[in-house]
Amino acid sequence: MMLKENNTLKELNLRGCKLQPEGLEQVMKGVQANTKLETLVLSRNIIDNKRASCLGMMLKGNTTLKELDLGVCGLEPEGLEEIMKGVEVNTKLETLDLSENIIDNKRASCLGKNDIIL
């Protein structure tokens, strides 16, 4: 996959691309293995709980991503919880945009445990 092998791309903006679930999974696999990408914009794409789990796994494995935009992705509390599992172990992520998603009190308390700018 192109993302996995690309050594120059630092930013990938897929805002509003209407990514299909399988396509999003492939993007996550590529980003997880990429060693240069610093910014990933997925805002305005629908991310269901299964794909949110893929995002969490990607965050656990990626060592270069500094900024992740998931604004207006229709994230549900359960999906956000899966993403936060990845955020907890990721040491490089600095900015996480979750604007206009459903965040309940339980998941909001998880967000407070991390030193990430929201």
Side-chain angles (χ1 to χ4, degrees):
M1 171 173 232
M2 179 198 82
L3 280 174
K4 187 176 185 178
E5 299 168 3
N6 188 294
N7 292 324
T8 57
L9 189 67
K10 290 193 173 202
E11 181 174 342
L12 179 59
N13 187 336
L14 297 171
R15 171 180 283 207
C17 285
K18 298 181 182 174
L19 284 170
Q20 298 299 310
E22 295 78 19
L24 182 60
E25 285 182 31
Q26 291 303 312
V27 169
M28 291 305 97
K29 287 177 185 176
V31 170
Q32 183 172 357
N34 185 286
T35 59
K36 297 293 181 187
L37 194 68
E38 295 179 353
T39 301
L40 178 60
V41 179
L42 294 172
S43 61
R44 300 194 179 277
N45 285 287
I46 300 300
I47 300 176
D48 62 17
N49 290 338
K50 182 178 178 186
R51 274 22 109 184
S53 181
C54 290
L55 264 166
M57 292 301 295
M58 177 275 294
L59 287 168
K60 287 178 184 178
N62 181 280
T63 59
T64 58
L65 200 64
K66 293 181 180 180
E67 184 174 348
L68 178 59
D69 184 347
L70 300 174
V72 196
C73 284
L75 290 171
E76 297 179 359
E78 295 81 13
L80 178 59
E81 192 168 327
E82 292 301 313
I83 292 168
M84 294 314 299
K85 288 177 185 177
V87 169
E88 287 176 10
V89 298
N90 186 298
T91 60
K92 298 293 181 184
L93 194 66
E94 297 173 357
T95 304
L96 177 61
D97 184 346
L98 296 170
S99 59
E100 298 187 49
N101 286 292
I102 299 170
I103 302 175
D104 62 12
N105 289 337
K106 178 181 175 185
R107 279 56 174 210
S109 67
C110 290
L111 292 171
K113 295 177 184 176
N114 297 290
D115 295 330
I116 292 176
I117 300 168
L118 299 175

